[in-house]
Amino acid sequence: MIFLIVLFIISLISLMPVLLDSTRKYYFAEQFNSLIFICLTGVASVGFARALLNIRPDHFTRILYLALCLIITGALAEVLGVLRPLSDAVRALLYDPQFIYQNDTRDIHGYGFIRPKLFTSEPSHLGKYCAIILCALIILEQDIRKVWGIIALAILAFSIVRSPVILISLILALVRIFQIFGLTTILRHRGMVLMFLVAVGVITGIFALQFNQRMAQGIDPSFYIRVIRPLLVTQEVLTQHPLLGMGIGARDALREIYTAQSMQVLAPIYVRQSLADMNIVFGNVHCAVFIHFGLLGGMAWFGTLMLFSRAIIGHSPLVFWVFYAGYGIFLGGENTPLLWGALGVILAATGQADRFKRRGALA
């Protein structure tokens, strides 16, 4: 209840600039809807995480492995062309065309093939699901040999889906290995550590090479939309509204700022040409928080996340913050179940791992 009350209060306070500025009152209804939605997703994610905590750890792990195998198998079938017609048909049926990723030419030039979407609207969503599952498995597993196996699955998933968000699992794996197994155990598996570092180096090198190839043709659209433009918009918003920002869910109120930034020479040609058809996306959670809540609200946001983690497992673990920091770069805003649901899964996995550790200590 404390978490939900604090979340509601900082979201409500973020609406004050809208109420006090007569030129922006038109946007109040849209932003109030966002306030209600973020509170609902907060409630749902707490309930979802609590439900996952009631599942036996081995059943939880088995469900995650099954989901990951289905995603990898389906993604591979789509890359090979077997599942692509069905996937495209379902996607056309479920989503508005403006929400569907259609830049297949960019995929072919950048990756050599059309990335799989597997019934989702874009490849990055598939990558997010893989990242969530892989990170949860890494947190749950207590056997270092199984952790190496999950790392191998992460490399396989990345090679098929080619979404950089999956690389978060490798970072979390490093943190978890040092956190759980300690330096002594790690040194006993020097060969595995060397293989892991080589694999990470190869993947990073391939990704960097492909990224440089895309950047050589101008700034990569995804990099611009996720990193550069959000920083520029954040700077502009904090200059005008430093304390409380533009208010939660201020999509229409920010349209002029986003349009102005997207028309700059720095913006990729794809962004400028597609401006009329593109929805406003905040780029990443970290910038969206300060765009919506300002400096004061942004600081309060981290306290709210701490309360969220404590509402579920009683503390705020390191793996939670590592996941949030990496995952937030690839998520368009803080007002979405894709954020709160993912954090709930990670916390539930952490809670299950804590229970396993306590039982082992008692035994």
Side-chain angles (χ1 to χ4, degrees):
M1 287 303 298
I2 294 175
F3 153 68
L4 293 172
I5 290 169
V6 172
L7 179 64
F8 180 79
I9 288 173
I10 68 166
S11 302
L12 185 62
I13 291 175
S14 77
L15 294 181
M16 295 305 295
V18 186
L19 293 174
L20 297 175
D21 188 348
S22 59
T23 62
R24 293 171 58 194
K25 286 185 178 179
Y26 171 77
Y27 305 118
F28 176 76
E30 176 195 33
Q31 295 184 227
F32 185 77
N33 286 340
S34 293
L35 182 153
I36 299 300
F37 189 70
I38 195 172
C39 291
L40 287 175
T41 54
V43 172
S45 60
V46 171
F48 179 54
R50 289 285 183 84
L52 291 177
L53 282 170
N54 290 328
I55 300 175
R56 280 177 48 183
D58 56 332
H59 289 173
F60 190 11
T61 304
R62 196 175 299 123
I63 291 169
L64 291 172
Y65 274 120
L66 176 61
L68 183 62
C69 289
L70 288 174
I71 290 175
I72 291 176
T73 303
L76 181 60
E78 187 169 334
V79 169
L80 296 175
V82 178
L83 197 61
R84 187 173 300 281
L86 177 61
S87 179
D88 289 343
V90 172
R91 186 163 38 257
L93 183 66
L94 293 179
Y95 306 104
D96 189 298
Q98 65 179 334
F99 295 112
I100 298 177
Y101 179 88
Q102 297 175 331
N103 199 4
D104 292 341
T105 303
R106 171 175 167 263
D107 281 358
I108 294 173
H109 287 162
Y111 302 101
F113 62 94
I114 299 175
R115 290 184 295 166
K117 307 173 189 69
L118 197 62
F119 312 121
T120 64
S121 59
E122 57 178 272
S124 67
H125 288 331
L126 198 59
K128 292 183 185 76
Y129 301 144
C130 286
I132 295 166
I133 295 170
L134 286 163
C135 288
L137 284 171
I138 287 168
I139 293 170
L140 278 165
E141 288 293 4
Q142 305 295 317
D143 187 336
I144 193 168
R145 291 168 296 182
K146 292 183 179 180
V147 173
W148 295 125
I150 298 169
I151 290 170
L153 287 174
I155 294 171
L156 176 62
F158 176 78
S159 65
I160 297 172
V161 180
R162 294 295 176 91
S163 179
V165 67
I166 296 175
L167 299 180
I168 298 169
S169 61
L170 299 181
I171 298 172
L172 193 70
L174 279 175
V175 174
R176 191 64 173 165
I177 286 171
F178 278 97
Q179 188 181 54
I180 297 298
F181 304 112
L183 185 60
T184 304
T185 305
I186 292 170
L187 290 176
R188 287 204 302 265
H189 296 79
R190 288 188 294 271
M192 297 297 291
V193 172
L194 181 61
M195 289 174 58
F196 171 69
L197 293 176
V198 170
V200 171
V202 171
I203 288 177
T204 304
I206 292 172
F207 179 74
L209 179 62
Q210 292 175 339
F211 185 75
N212 285 334
Q213 289 174 346
R214 297 200 303 269
M215 291 291 283
Q217 304 169 2
I219 296 177
D220 180 67
S222 291
F223 182 71
Y224 176 80
I225 292 171
R226 283 180 177 155
V227 179
I228 297 178
R229 189 174 67 178
L231 289 172
L232 294 173
V233 173
T234 302
Q235 181 182 13
E236 182 72 21
V237 169
L238 293 181
T239 301
Q240 300 176 16
H241 309 279
L243 297 181
L244 298 177
M246 293 290 287
I248 186 172
R251 188 176 298 273
D252 287 336
L254 287 162
R255 191 171 298 279
E256 290 185 8
I257 296 177
Y258 271 84
T259 300
Q261 294 295 343
S262 301
M263 294 294 289
Q264 299 294 328
V265 177
L266 183 64
I269 295 175
Y270 170 77
V271 174
R272 282 179 275 164
Q273 290 177 340
S274 307
L275 187 62
D277 301 323
M278 291 179 67
N279 291 301
I280 291 177
V281 290
F282 299 115
N284 65 74
V285 167
H286 309 309
C287 287
V289 165
F290 288 99
I291 290 171
H292 288 158
F293 299 123
L295 293 173
L296 289 179
M299 293 298 102
W301 172 260
F302 295 102
T304 306
L305 286 177
M306 189 175 296
L307 289 171
F308 173 71
S309 64
R310 290 178 177 177
I312 296 173
I313 61 171
H315 64 106
S316 199
L318 175 62
V319 289
F320 170 76
W321 293 107
V322 171
F323 177 81
Y324 171 76
Y327 183 73
I329 296 173
F330 300 93
L331 204 62
E334 81 288 4
N335 186 20
T336 169
L338 270 176
L339 172 64
W340 293 101
L343 295 180
V345 172
I346 296 302
L347 287 172
T350 306
Q352 295 277 26
D354 288 345
R355 288 180 183 176
F356 182 89
K357 188 176 179 180
R358 285 196 297 270
R359 284 200 300 268
L362 290 173

